[in-house]
PDB file of all heavy atoms in Angstrom:
ATOM      1  N   ASN A 282     100.982  60.279 121.389  1.00  0.00           N
ATOM      2  CA  ASN A 282     101.434  58.912 121.198  1.00  0.00           C
ATOM      3  C   ASN A 282     100.330  57.976 121.651  1.00  0.00           C
ATOM      4  O   ASN A 282     100.440  57.313 122.667  1.00  0.00           O
ATOM      5  CB  ASN A 282     102.701  58.678 122.029  1.00  0.00           C
ATOM      6  CG  ASN A 282     103.596  57.664 121.350  1.00  0.00           C
ATOM      7  OD1 ASN A 282     103.145  56.957 120.447  1.00  0.00           O
ATOM      8  ND2 ASN A 282     104.827  57.565 121.803  1.00  0.00           N
ATOM      9  N   PRO A 283      99.250  57.937 120.884  1.00  0.00           N
ATOM     10  CA  PRO A 283      98.066  57.214 121.366  1.00  0.00           C
ATOM     11  C   PRO A 283      98.289  55.714 121.346  1.00  0.00           C
ATOM     12  O   PRO A 283      99.123  55.208 120.602  1.00  0.00           O
ATOM     13  CB  PRO A 283      96.983  57.625 120.358  1.00  0.00           C
ATOM     14  CG  PRO A 283      97.727  57.976 119.127  1.00  0.00           C
ATOM     15  CD  PRO A 283      99.061  58.475 119.542  1.00  0.00           C
ATOM     16  N   PRO A 284      97.531  54.988 122.194  1.00  0.00           N
ATOM     17  CA  PRO A 284      97.641  53.524 122.187  1.00  0.00           C
ATOM     18  C   PRO A 284      97.171  52.976 120.845  1.00  0.00           C
ATOM     19  O   PRO A 284      96.339  53.583 120.173  1.00  0.00           O
ATOM     20  CB  PRO A 284      96.702  53.101 123.319  1.00  0.00           C
ATOM     21  CG  PRO A 284      95.782  54.253 123.523  1.00  0.00           C
ATOM     22  CD  PRO A 284      96.540  55.482 123.139  1.00  0.00           C
ATOM     23  N   THR A 285      97.705  51.820 120.461  1.00  0.00           N
ATOM     24  CA  THR A 285      97.251  51.206 119.215  1.00  0.00           C
ATOM     25  C   THR A 285      95.867  50.616 119.435  1.00  0.00           C
ATOM     26  O   THR A 285      95.414  50.461 120.566  1.00  0.00           O
ATOM     27  CB  THR A 285      98.205  50.071 118.783  1.00  0.00           C
ATOM     28  OG1 THR A 285      98.349  49.192 119.910  1.00  0.00           O
ATOM     29  CG2 THR A 285      99.558  50.614 118.378  1.00  0.00           C
ATOM     30  N   GLY A 286      95.223  50.298 118.344  1.00  0.00           N
ATOM     31  CA  GLY A 286      93.908  49.685 118.442  1.00  0.00           C
ATOM     32  C   GLY A 286      92.858  50.694 118.853  1.00  0.00           C
ATOM     33  O   GLY A 286      92.974  51.878 118.583  1.00  0.00           O
ATOM     34  N   CYS A 287      91.815  50.190 119.523  1.00  0.00           N
ATOM     35  CA  CYS A 287      90.739  51.064 119.971  1.00  0.00           C
ATOM     36  C   CYS A 287      91.256  51.955 121.088  1.00  0.00           C
ATOM     37  O   CYS A 287      91.780  51.469 122.092  1.00  0.00           O
ATOM     38  CB  CYS A 287      89.560  50.220 120.459  1.00  0.00           C
ATOM     39  SG  CYS A 287      88.236  51.237 121.138  1.00  0.00           S
ATOM     40  N   ARG A 288      91.122  53.267 120.908  1.00  0.00           N
ATOM     41  CA  ARG A 288      91.715  54.182 121.882  1.00  0.00           C
ATOM     42  C   ARG A 288      90.911  54.257 123.180  1.00  0.00           C
ATOM     43  O   ARG A 288      91.347  54.840 124.151  1.00  0.00           O
ATOM     44  CB  ARG A 288      91.846  55.579 121.262  1.00  0.00           C
ATOM     45  CG  ARG A 288      92.918  55.610 120.179  1.00  0.00           C
ATOM     46  CD  ARG A 288      93.073  56.973 119.560  1.00  0.00           C
ATOM     47  NE  ARG A 288      94.033  56.912 118.458  1.00  0.00           N
ATOM     48  CZ  ARG A 288      94.274  57.915 117.646  1.00  0.00           C
ATOM     49  NH1 ARG A 288      93.632  59.065 117.798  1.00  0.00           N
ATOM     50  NH2 ARG A 288      95.157  57.797 116.677  1.00  0.00           N
ATOM     51  N   PHE A 289      89.736  53.650 123.183  1.00  0.00           N
ATOM     52  CA  PHE A 289      88.913  53.673 124.383  1.00  0.00           C
ATOM     53  C   PHE A 289      89.181  52.478 125.284  1.00  0.00           C
ATOM     54  O   PHE A 289      88.681  52.392 126.392  1.00  0.00           O
ATOM     55  CB  PHE A 289      87.423  53.720 123.988  1.00  0.00           C
ATOM     56  CG  PHE A 289      86.487  53.926 125.137  1.00  0.00           C
ATOM     57  CD1 PHE A 289      86.598  55.066 125.947  1.00  0.00           C
ATOM     58  CD2 PHE A 289      85.505  53.000 125.457  1.00  0.00           C
ATOM     59  CE1 PHE A 289      85.745  55.265 127.024  1.00  0.00           C
ATOM     60  CE2 PHE A 289      84.649  53.190 126.534  1.00  0.00           C
ATOM     61  CZ  PHE A 289      84.771  54.331 127.305  1.00  0.00           C
ATOM     62  N   ARG A 290      90.028  51.566 124.802  1.00  0.00           N
ATOM     63  CA  ARG A 290      90.052  50.270 125.475  1.00  0.00           C
ATOM     64  C   ARG A 290      90.540  50.342 126.932  1.00  0.00           C
ATOM     65  O   ARG A 290      90.134  49.537 127.751  1.00  0.00           O
ATOM     66  CB  ARG A 290      90.858  49.251 124.668  1.00  0.00           C
ATOM     67  CG  ARG A 290      92.350  49.405 124.666  1.00  0.00           C
ATOM     68  CD  ARG A 290      92.962  48.179 123.973  1.00  0.00           C
ATOM     69  NE  ARG A 290      94.381  48.056 124.216  1.00  0.00           N
ATOM     70  CZ  ARG A 290      95.308  48.652 123.466  1.00  0.00           C
ATOM     71  NH1 ARG A 290      94.950  49.380 122.438  1.00  0.00           N
ATOM     72  NH2 ARG A 290      96.583  48.498 123.757  1.00  0.00           N
ATOM     73  N   ASP A 291      91.367  51.322 127.277  1.00  0.00           N
ATOM     74  CA  ASP A 291      91.835  51.434 128.660  1.00  0.00           C
ATOM     75  C   ASP A 291      90.708  51.771 129.632  1.00  0.00           C
ATOM     76  O   ASP A 291      90.771  51.431 130.806  1.00  0.00           O
ATOM     77  CB  ASP A 291      92.914  52.514 128.776  1.00  0.00           C
ATOM     78  CG  ASP A 291      94.227  52.034 128.197  1.00  0.00           C
ATOM     79  OD1 ASP A 291      94.330  50.808 127.961  1.00  0.00           O
ATOM     80  OD2 ASP A 291      95.111  52.876 127.961  1.00  0.00           O
ATOM     81  N   ARG A 292      89.685  52.454 129.135  1.00  0.00           N
ATOM     82  CA  ARG A 292      88.585  52.840 130.024  1.00  0.00           C
ATOM     83  C   ARG A 292      87.356  51.964 129.789  1.00  0.00           C
ATOM     84  O   ARG A 292      86.343  52.134 130.455  1.00  0.00           O
ATOM     85  CB  ARG A 292      88.206  54.301 129.756  1.00  0.00           C
ATOM     86  CG  ARG A 292      89.305  55.275 130.083  1.00  0.00           C
ATOM     87  CD  ARG A 292      88.988  56.646 129.490  1.00  0.00           C
ATOM     88  NE  ARG A 292      88.122  57.441 130.354  1.00  0.00           N
ATOM     89  CZ  ARG A 292      87.636  58.624 130.008  1.00  0.00           C
ATOM     90  NH1 ARG A 292      87.900  59.131 128.814  1.00  0.00           N
ATOM     91  NH2 ARG A 292      86.875  59.298 130.835  1.00  0.00           N
ATOM     92  N   CYS A 293      87.462  51.062 128.824  1.00  0.00           N
ATOM     93  CA  CYS A 293      86.274  50.316 128.402  1.00  0.00           C
ATOM     94  C   CYS A 293      86.004  49.141 129.342  1.00  0.00           C
ATOM     95  O   CYS A 293      86.897  48.343 129.629  1.00  0.00           O
ATOM     96  CB  CYS A 293      86.485  49.803 126.981  1.00  0.00           C
ATOM     97  SG  CYS A 293      85.055  48.936 126.333  1.00  0.00           S
ATOM     98  N   PRO A 294      84.764  49.040 129.842  1.00  0.00           N
ATOM     99  CA  PRO A 294      84.453  47.932 130.763  1.00  0.00           C
ATOM    100  C   PRO A 294      84.429  46.568 130.073  1.00  0.00           C
ATOM    101  O   PRO A 294      84.543  45.548 130.747  1.00  0.00           O
ATOM    102  CB  PRO A 294      83.059  48.302 131.293  1.00  0.00           C
ATOM    103  CG  PRO A 294      82.490  49.269 130.295  1.00  0.00           C
ATOM    104  CD  PRO A 294      83.638  49.950 129.652  1.00  0.00           C
ATOM    105  N   VAL A 295      84.268  46.564 128.730  1.00  0.00           N
ATOM    106  CA  VAL A 295      84.127  45.261 128.059  1.00  0.00           C
ATOM    107  C   VAL A 295      85.300  44.945 127.140  1.00  0.00           C
ATOM    108  O   VAL A 295      85.201  44.076 126.282  1.00  0.00           O
ATOM    109  CB  VAL A 295      82.806  45.190 127.250  1.00  0.00           C
ATOM    110  CG1 VAL A 295      81.606  45.300 128.180  1.00  0.00           C
ATOM    111  CG2 VAL A 295      82.760  46.279 126.192  1.00  0.00           C
ATOM    112  N   ALA A 296      86.422  45.636 127.319  1.00  0.00           N
ATOM    113  CA  ALA A 296      87.556  45.448 126.404  1.00  0.00           C
ATOM    114  C   ALA A 296      88.108  44.033 126.507  1.00  0.00           C
ATOM    115  O   ALA A 296      88.079  43.417 127.574  1.00  0.00           O
ATOM    116  CB  ALA A 296      88.646  46.467 126.720  1.00  0.00           C
TER     117      ALA A 296
END
Side-chain angles (χ1 to χ4, degrees):
Chain A
N282 211 345
T285 52
C287 176
R288 290 180 185 173
F289 188 59
R290 73 172 195 273
D291 286 347
R292 296 167 84 185
C293 183
V295 297

